[in-house]
Amino acid sequence: MDFFVAQALNGLIIGLLYALIAIGLSLIFSVLKLVNFAHGECCMMGAFVSYYFSTLFGINPLIAVFLSMVVVFLLGVAMQYFFLRPLYTGAVERKDEYAILITFGLGIFFQNLAMSLFGPWTKKSQDFLSGVTSIGFLTVDNNRLVVSFVAIAIVLALLLIINKTFVGKALRAVSQDRDAAAIVGINSHRINMLAFGVGVALAGGAGALIGPIFLISPMMGILPGIKSFVIIVLGGMGSIKGAIIGSLLLGEIESLGSIYLLDPTRGLAYKNAFGVLLLAIVLLVKPTGLFGERHVRME
Amino acid sequence: MKTFLTFMGVIGLVVCIGGSLGWSQDQVILGGVAPLSAPGAAESGAEMKIAMEMAVSEIGQILGKPIKLQVEDTRGLPEEGTAAMNRLADAGAAGVVGEFHSAVANAEIEVANQRKLPLIIAEAWADVITAKHYPYVFRIAPANSLFYTKVSDWVKAIGAQNVVAIVENTDWGLGIDTVFKETLHDQKNIDGDPVQYTSIVAERTVTDFTPQLLRYKSMSPRPDLVMDIFTGTGEYLIVKQTGELGLAPNRETLVFAVGTSALYPEYWETVGKYGVFSITKTGYHPLLGVTPAIKKFNAEFEAKTGKTPTFAAMEAYDSIHVLAQAIEQAGSTASDAIVAALEKIKYDGVLGTIYFSADKKPDYMYHQWPGAKAVIIQYTAEGQKYTDAELLWPAALMP
């Protein structure tokens, strides 16, 4: 039983990290109706920005996380303005194909840019809180505990903004009906920019938070990018609630699955496949994902 | 107009072919393959490239012609290795040296064999690389079986009974796992007790090893030794997470970082205090003997980079010298002549006198340098250079 609880706790912590990345992707999809294939690279950029803020300027690593979110937010706003805005001004004919190609292209560009700027070497961000916490049979790295609490706080703050503020109402309005939102005076271009900026800032924050735990390198965003895509399809495209539940599910199934489902000596070899397997099963039963809507394409 | 265009086309073709032939006749192209970016072990690839450049600059000319070194980034991916070898063959390379990852080397030897391109593997250890008996493939690095049987001897000598491992699912990792299963599992240790060897295979991109490490931690009795059979980021993460969970290193359990990544300064940046008392291996250590050649190489490398070179750099450096000497002895850049010269070569390099075995038993010994050495060391302080770490094995070399 002790062993099971330890594994479940690890799955919960990993799930919270996934949630932070996946919510951003889901927010972008719900408002802009496109999948940001450069999302993992935004996560990587956040990790590097936070790393250099804390190592070069001696800024407290937790403050560096929030500063990195601001930097990645501005990067996202620029990406949206220069590369994605044409999708909503009628300048692009084949919108889906353009969105896929441009975000893929930006992802590859950021990987190579990071390689040139930061080098290919693995780095570790400063600890948020060094040491471990032991409660009975459980031993948890303090960084993981701090990251879990920060992730929960960020997710709650985001939910509060989306559900209780005017900006949140505007985001939801554009996500539901762009034309109707425009009729009541909402500037959908600004909301697009805001949603994209906030979405990638969440990914950047997640990257900065995982820096002391899973280390950072220019290619670190590839796997989180893929996993967050799996999560938002699993949870239902564009559903924030679905992204949170999907993330926690994936974290648990990876942690428990690699121990209990298969031959444990091969479990880690299939760890990344569990998410896809879970996704396939859910989509067979519920094609729109756990909390997805039927109509989610760009108009 | 048509005649004019045809005439211009012919002129262009003649200029291109003539230029290309002239270019290749005026210089000797030596190829290099190494992981220069992630997901490959980029720190190793970078120092291998520098060492190759140092060797080329020392040699200056081959057969009276200048040398062009063309180093390709294989990124630790087999498909990139295949593409790199084909590019080097197309460029007219006389031979190729390098590579760090066994999985990539395994792909590269196929191209070497198909395109008759001599290839000297500098730092990839999987037995299969030389066990295929390809005539164009040679190796300076030790084969897994040559070294890891000695690691098994050490494990038995320290009286370990319960050894666990996390293994990356590559030719290199699985090859070591096989050696341990054959030479360690159910064998008797120095006290006459049976050794239990348990391994878990993991995909190379995995970053969270906690579930399996928790499983090892819950074992009764606790493991004596955790083998971290990974390279690059994964190798760092296993040591770090093993320490965070309180599994090792401590009085009960040691951790052995098997990959070369544990020899770089990045090891300390990423694992910090959890690296103290961790164990690793190296193909060079001052206690193996500091020859004038090593002194000169180390001094030049450190002056150039500010870093202490590892044996991966030394192997890459020696590989270029061996290839250059073989071309000189062959008196031509024809591949069969170079292979014949390599089979007879004796080169006094940084790592020793290099020659290649013609034995086909055991399988991996064909075109393998039998003199390749490696030792087991243990870090005793945070941030320690590997050259200052304590030597654990072989006992005969201990001061």
Side-chain angles (χ1 to χ4, degrees):
Chain A
M1 188 61 189
D2 295 355
F3 180 59
F4 175 83
V5 173
Q7 295 291 357
L9 178 68
N10 182 56
L12 179 69
I13 294 170
I14 299 294
L16 285 167
L17 280 172
Y18 287 162
L20 210 52
I21 312 174
I23 286 173
L25 192 63
S26 193
L27 178 70
I28 291 170
F29 186 83
S30 73
V31 176
L32 287 93
K33 304 289 182 280
L34 62 84
V35 177
N36 175 25
F37 285 103
H39 205 66
E41 282 63 42
C42 293
C43 171
M44 174 269 292
M45 293 301 257
F48 273 106
V49 171
S50 166
Y51 171 84
Y52 283 108
F53 268 134
S54 56
T55 52
L56 288 184
F57 305 118
I59 295 172
N60 178 293
L62 266 180
I63 296 170
V65 170
F66 290 99
L67 289 176
S68 75
M69 288 178 78
V70 173
V71 172
V72 179
F73 171 82
L74 295 173
L75 177 76
V77 167
M79 280 165 72
Q80 203 284 333
Y81 184 81
F82 291 110
F83 299 106
L84 301 174
R85 197 178 156 93
L87 285 167
Y88 307 93
T89 57
V92 175
E93 181 80 16
R94 302 183 72 89
K95 293 183 177 183
D96 288 336
E97 291 84 346
Y98 175 85
I100 290 170
L101 288 175
I102 203 78
T103 54
F104 253 126
L106 284 168
I108 294 167
F109 171 74
F110 287 140
Q111 280 174 13
N112 288 289
L113 182 72
M115 196 87 77
S116 311
L117 290 177
F118 315 126
W121 301 280
T122 307
K123 295 177 169 64
K124 178 181 169 284
S125 306
Q126 279 183 23
D127 288 329
F128 298 116
L129 189 61
S130 58
V132 294
T133 296
S134 296
I135 306 165
F137 57 88
L138 290 174
T139 302
V140 186
D141 168 33
N142 284 340
N143 282 316
R144 292 190 187 220
L145 286 179
V146 171
V147 163
S148 305
F149 289 125
V150 174
I152 290 170
I154 292 175
V155 170
L156 289 178
L158 182 77
L159 290 177
L160 200 69
I161 290 167
I162 288 177
N163 292 311
K164 302 284 180 193
T165 65
F166 176 76
V167 173
K169 208 178 270 182
L171 282 166
R172 281 184 288 140
V174 174
S175 119
Q176 284 163 15
D177 192 324
R178 187 170 293 273
D179 295 331
I183 289 168
V184 296
I186 296 169
N187 184 335
S188 64
H189 290 307
R190 279 194 191 162
I191 293 297
N192 281 348
M193 226 183 282
L194 180 72
F196 198 84
V198 171
V200 297
L202 287 169
L209 285 170
I210 64 178
I213 301 172
F214 295 132
L215 311 179
I216 60 177
S217 69
M219 300 294 159
M220 66 175 280
I222 296 173
L223 211 54
I226 295 169
K227 287 192 179 177
S228 52
F229 184 61
V230 168
I231 289 164
I232 66 160
V233 179
L234 177 70
M237 300 286 278
S239 163
I240 303 284
K241 184 170 69 174
I244 296 170
I245 292 174
S247 301
L248 297 177
L249 255 177
L250 186 66
E252 288 299 347
I253 200 145
E254 281 187 355
S255 189
L256 297 172
S258 59
I259 290 291
Y260 292 107
L261 276 186
L262 291 168
D263 168 12
T265 63
R266 305 282 306 176
L268 274 180
Y270 300 110
K271 192 175 180 183
N272 293 329
F274 289 139
V276 183
L277 188 68
L278 177 69
L279 179 68
I281 294 167
V282 169
L283 289 185
L284 280 173
V285 180
K286 200 165 182 305
T288 55
L290 294 174
F291 301 95
E293 295 164 14
R294 193 163 286 274
H295 183 77
V296 284
R297 290 196 69 210
M298 230 182 293
E299 293 296 339
Chain B
M1 185 64 185
K2 197 176 166 189
T3 314
F4 174 75
L5 285 176
T6 310
F7 174 75
M8 290 305 287
V10 170
I11 293 286
L13 204 62
V14 168
V15 168
C16 285
I17 293 172
S20 138
L21 282 178
W23 183 248
S24 60
Q25 280 169 355
D26 285 337
Q27 63 184 348
V28 174
I29 300 172
L30 300 185
V33 278
L36 300 174
S37 57
E43 60 276 73
S44 300
E47 67 165 358
M48 287 170 80
K49 181 172 180 269
I50 291 166
M52 287 179 207
E53 288 164 353
M54 282 169 59
V56 165
S57 128
E58 273 174 28
I59 298 163
Q61 290 193 328
I62 301 176
L63 304 174
K65 295 173 189 172
I67 305 166
K68 182 192 173 193
L69 176 68
Q70 184 172 332
V71 182
E72 298 280 343
D73 179 10
T74 61
R75 297 184 58 215
L77 301 171
E79 61 274 23
E80 294 283 348
T82 302
M85 285 294 286
N86 277 313
R87 277 198 298 275
L88 290 168
D90 293 341
V96 179
V97 307
E99 199 40 70
F100 180 85
H101 296 284
S102 292
V104 186
N106 206 12
E108 288 165 353
I109 62 172
E110 297 301 329
V111 183
N113 197 45
Q114 281 163 15
R115 304 202 59 173
K116 300 185 189 307
L117 183 61
L119 170 64
I120 302 174
I121 295 292
E123 175 46 20
W125 293 37
D127 288 0
V128 69
I129 292 165
T130 43
K132 286 189 177 173
H133 297 175
Y134 286 160
Y136 297 91
V137 177
F138 297 79
R139 173 162 54 187
I140 285 180
N144 272 342
S145 293
L146 263 177
F147 177 64
Y148 289 102
T149 47
K150 288 173 187 158
V151 174
S152 292
D153 292 342
W154 169 73
V155 172
K156 288 181 247 178
I158 61 168
Q161 289 182 50
N162 186 7
V163 179
V164 297
I166 296 189
V167 182
E168 68 171 40
N169 63 348
T170 59
D171 300 78
W172 171 78
L174 296 173
I176 297 171
D177 190 41
T178 305
V179 173
F180 286 148
K181 279 176 180 160
E182 287 170 359
T183 61
L184 202 56
H185 187 63
D186 275 345
Q187 305 275 317
K188 295 264 193 294
N189 68 13
I190 197 165
D191 303 320
D193 299 317
V195 180
Q196 184 73 28
Y197 172 74
T198 313
S199 62
I200 287 170
V201 177
E203 221 265 309
R204 257 183 83 195
T205 53
V206 169
T207 51
D208 186 27
F209 299 91
T210 313
Q212 273 64 26
L213 292 172
L214 282 170
R215 182 167 164 257
Y216 284 154
K217 196 182 170 189
S218 68
M219 277 179 157
S220 183
R222 285 276 283 270
D224 300 302
L225 185 63
V226 178
M227 290 282 190
D228 167 3
I229 309 177
F230 251 73
T231 51
T233 307
E235 183 175 6
Y236 299 146
L237 283 169
I238 291 173
V239 174
K240 183 174 171 290
Q241 291 170 13
T242 302
E244 286 165 356
L245 289 172
L247 174 58
N250 52 43
R251 282 180 186 278
E252 284 176 297
T253 311
L254 291 168
V255 62
F256 191 138
V258 172
T260 310
S261 308
L263 303 177
Y264 297 101
E266 287 79 15
Y267 182 66
W268 292 109
E269 185 186 338
T270 52
V271 307
K273 64 181 179 184
Y274 300 121
V276 182
F277 301 120
S278 65
I279 295 163
T280 189
K281 63 107 183 27
T282 171
Y284 163 71
H285 190 279
L287 288 174
L288 280 169
V290 183
T291 61
I294 289 179
K295 244 184 202 167
K296 178 176 170 283
F297 174 77
N298 283 358
E300 285 175 13
F301 191 94
E302 281 175 24
K304 207 175 166 80
T305 64
K307 290 182 175 179
T308 307
T310 72
F311 62 100
M314 296 172 186
E315 287 163 337
Y317 176 84
D318 278 346
S319 300
I320 287 279
H321 275 287
V322 167
L323 180 60
Q325 186 172 312
I327 295 171
E328 286 287 4
Q329 284 176 6
S332 117
T333 54
S335 56
D336 288 330
I338 296 172
V339 166
L342 282 170
E343 286 176 338
K344 289 183 210 140
I345 209 155
K346 265 199 188 322
Y347 170 75
D348 285 323
V350 166
L351 288 168
T353 302
I354 293 167
Y355 61 97
F356 297 106
S357 166
D359 295 342
K360 291 190 173 176
K361 289 283 172 197
D363 280 351
Y364 59 78
M365 195 51 88
Y366 185 65
H367 283 186
Q368 165 74 43
W369 177 35
K373 292 185 274 290
V375 294
I376 301 172
I377 55 172
Q378 183 174 34
Y379 290 115
T380 52
E382 192 171 340
Q384 191 172 44
K385 279 185 181 179
Y386 81 90
T387 46
D388 297 328
E390 299 288 332
L391 188 74
L392 293 186
W393 194 259
L397 287 172
M398 286 162 75

